[in-house]
Amino acid sequence: MIISAGGALIDLVPQRNDDATLPALEPKLGGGPFNTARALGRLKAAAGFCSRVSRDHFGQALLDALGADGVDTSLVQRGEEPTTLAVAHIDPDGSAAYSFYTEGTADRLFALPPALPDSTRALCFGTCSLVLEPGATAYENLLRRAAAQGVFTALDPNIRTGLIKDPAAYRARFLGWLPHVRLLKLSEEDAAWLADGTPVRTALEQWLAAGPRAVVLTRGADGLTALTAEGAEHTVPGVAVDVVDTIGAGDTVNAALLHRLDQLGALTRTPTGDEWDDVLAYAARAAAVTCGRAGAQPPYAHEVVSP
């Protein structure tokens, strides 16, 4: 099983209405780890979700969607607190920024579970879950414990600057995670923010030397690049698509990378160069499908076909 660990929330996405002073906001199911779990399920991976979800109607809708996509929710904790909300702001190019409403919400009260299923092959972390306490410390402890047990671990920081009150402290904490991470995936924007003035290429090499076996950098329409601990570099172009918005695209990449590595049997060994090209191309195709529709709607397996 591949488990995505982290928050689930409701994205309030503006609807186009040229006559309105303020756009109407439509609720969409979201949250980076939640989107990754759904993408894994839709790609027909054996997928699980580890989080804490509200008992309100939004929380139930989140769980129902996971179930519909075949995701195991036995590791989901429940709480009476409300669901986190994120208001999306969509730029003309389809990119999204967010304002968050997180005080007293259920997902930030996640507690370290006693154990993961014996079938767990990979565990993915990221986004707000590693920022908002006390849940952030619980997720960090889960990351460290899983890595010590030999589970393949992946990290997508997916930076939300509005939630990070002390950037220097967060950057230092990020460096502390790297020895426990096998695959680090991040966007160009996140890499630049984390590098904090250091040239991004230099920062990527420093992070790679700190522990991960590979770093994957997403570059929007320009594709994806993987740097490996063996010193190799692999790049694939992006897939052309009429972009509706980019919500959930990075989360889809997380799922596609892990699922394809698992299909190739490469979670427990070093992928070959040809396998990296295959994995990156698969992730690029999957992300393009997500960008072609509104909100975080990851592709199904039959939609990620070879060219």
Side-chain angles (χ1 to χ4, degrees):
M1 182 185 298
I2 302 174
I3 297 174
S4 181
L9 52 78
I10 296 297
D11 286 322
L12 299 176
V13 180
Q15 303 303 295
R16 294 179 180 176
N17 184 350
D18 295 335
D19 296 328
T21 303
L22 292 174
L25 297 175
E26 181 178 358
K28 299 282 189 179
L29 308 179
F34 170 85
N35 296 336
T36 296
R38 289 189 77 188
L40 284 164
R42 290 185 176 193
L43 293 173
K44 296 192 179 300
F49 186 53
C50 182
S51 184
R52 190 170 188 272
V53 172
S54 175
R55 295 187 186 277
D56 65 15
H57 63 288
F58 283 143
Q60 190 57 53
L62 289 161
L63 281 185
D64 289 346
L66 290 167
D69 287 328
V71 178
D72 185 309
T73 59
S74 60
L75 289 170
V76 173
Q77 304 161 20
R78 303 300 300 273
E80 299 300 329
E81 304 80 15
T83 298
T84 294
L85 302 178
V87 179
H89 309 272
I90 309 299
D91 290 334
D93 65 356
S95 61
Y98 299 88
S99 300
F100 291 90
Y101 298 84
T102 64
E103 290 301 318
T105 53
D107 55 345
R108 68 185 300 172
L109 299 179
F110 172 79
L112 179 68
L116 295 176
D118 292 340
S119 60
T120 304
R121 298 190 297 279
L123 193 57
C124 184
F125 296 85
T127 318
C128 314
S129 311
L130 291 167
V131 177
L132 299 171
E133 296 290 5
T137 293
Y139 284 114
E140 180 176 314
N141 290 337
L142 179 59
L143 167 65
R144 293 172 182 269
R145 188 180 73 185
Q149 294 171 341
V151 174
F152 185 101
T153 53
L155 172 66
D156 173 14
N158 203 357
I159 302 298
R160 301 291 182 242
T161 56
L163 293 175
I164 299 175
K165 306 305 181 186
D166 186 341
Y170 179 88
R171 291 183 180 107
R173 195 171 189 179
F174 164 74
L175 295 177
W177 296 328
L178 296 182
H180 312 282
V181 172
R182 293 284 299 278
L183 173 65
L184 173 64
K185 172 259 167 184
L186 64 175
S187 68
E188 286 183 305
E189 296 79 8
D190 289 347
W193 187 90
L194 286 164
D196 191 28
T198 300
V200 168
R201 177 67 185 220
T202 300
L204 292 174
E205 292 172 350
Q206 291 172 346
W207 299 335
L208 188 61
R213 302 303 301 166
V215 176
V216 172
L217 184 71
T218 62
R219 298 177 291 109
D222 293 328
L224 298 90
T225 295
L227 304 178
T228 73
E230 293 72 37
E233 179 174 338
H234 305 276
T235 295
V236 301
V239 174
V241 64
D242 291 330
V243 176
V244 176
D245 64 51
T246 62
I247 297 174
D251 311 320
T252 296
V253 169
N254 294 336
L257 292 172
L258 291 172
H259 178 50
R260 192 63 183 142
L261 285 169
D262 189 36
Q263 284 185 314
L264 295 171
L267 291 176
T268 56
R269 61 171 174 81
T270 300
T272 68
D274 287 344
E275 286 173 334
W276 268 119
D277 292 339
D278 176 287
V279 168
L280 295 175
Y282 182 81
R285 295 195 301 273
V289 176
T290 302
C291 289
R293 44 203 189 200
Q297 286 296 327
Y300 293 92
H302 70 271
E303 296 178 292
V304 190
V305 295
S306 297

